[in-house]
Amino acid sequence: MSRVLRLLAACAALWLLALPALAQDLVVYHVDDAEAQATKALRNIRNHLDVAPATKIVVVTHANGVDFLMEGARDRRNPDLEYAPLVSALKARGVRFEVCEITLRNRGLRKDQFSMDADFTPSGVVRIGQLQSRERYAYIKP
């Protein structure tokens, strides 16, 4: 009987150790129009992490949303605002930036045109769906 109690106690301890990982907020930011969304998204993500630094954030881009992750990209309304340093700072805080490869093919873009901070996913829309349905990510579209 004491063996069963020890096993139950060990299982309970493992479960309690796993709770912080289960409680971690998971968020996907969806960007499909860089001109309208990029600056706002980057500001929202920074603020998000300032308040909840343990949040795991993935930014999925497709269509015109990929533009802010291209080398030398700047905010059109504020040309002094270069995106690369903002993206790098967020990447250093654990944010993952993903670019849709279907968009690359459709727009004739190459991976080497993008910031070194960008990762790639076969389909941005599929990735968002998977993050929401399989990995329980909350969805935000800035």
Side-chain angles (χ1 to χ4, degrees):
M1 187 68 152
S2 65
R3 187 179 205 177
V4 171
L5 288 175
R6 279 194 300 246
L7 180 61
L8 286 174
C11 288
L14 286 174
W15 187 78
L16 288 173
L17 289 173
L19 275 179
L22 293 173
Q24 181 182 33
D25 291 333
L26 306 170
V27 179
V28 57
Y29 279 78
H30 176 195
V31 178
D32 62 359
D33 182 350
E35 188 172 340
Q37 296 173 278
T39 301
K40 180 172 39 172
L42 294 170
R43 182 178 54 248
N44 288 348
I45 294 165
R46 185 196 64 225
N47 292 342
H48 194 140
L49 291 173
D50 286 348
V51 173
T55 305
K56 183 175 179 184
I57 296 176
V58 177
V59 179
V60 178
T61 66
H62 67 95
N64 293 333
V66 306
D67 294 354
F68 81 99
L69 292 172
M70 296 182 78
E71 286 291 338
R74 295 178 178 275
D75 184 318
R76 286 190 186 175
R77 286 177 242 157
N78 182 5
D80 293 335
L81 179 63
E82 185 180 354
Y83 290 124
L86 302 174
V87 170
S88 290
L90 291 172
K91 178 99 174 179
R93 294 177 75 179
V95 177
R96 184 174 171 92
F97 292 86
E98 298 185 3
V99 174
C100 173
E101 292 176 346
I102 292 173
T103 296
L104 296 183
R105 285 193 304 274
N106 290 345
R107 293 184 53 195
L109 300 172
R110 299 179 323 275
K111 289 181 179 181
D112 65 0
Q113 291 177 278
F114 289 85
S115 161
M116 300 257 319
D117 291 319
D119 295 304
F120 298 89
T121 187
S123 168
V125 172
V126 169
R127 179 70 168 139
I128 291 167
Q130 290 171 340
L131 288 169
Q132 286 185 278
S133 67
R134 294 182 187 172
E135 300 182 42
R136 67 177 185 77
Y137 275 66
Y139 174 88
I140 296 177
K141 185 166 185 176

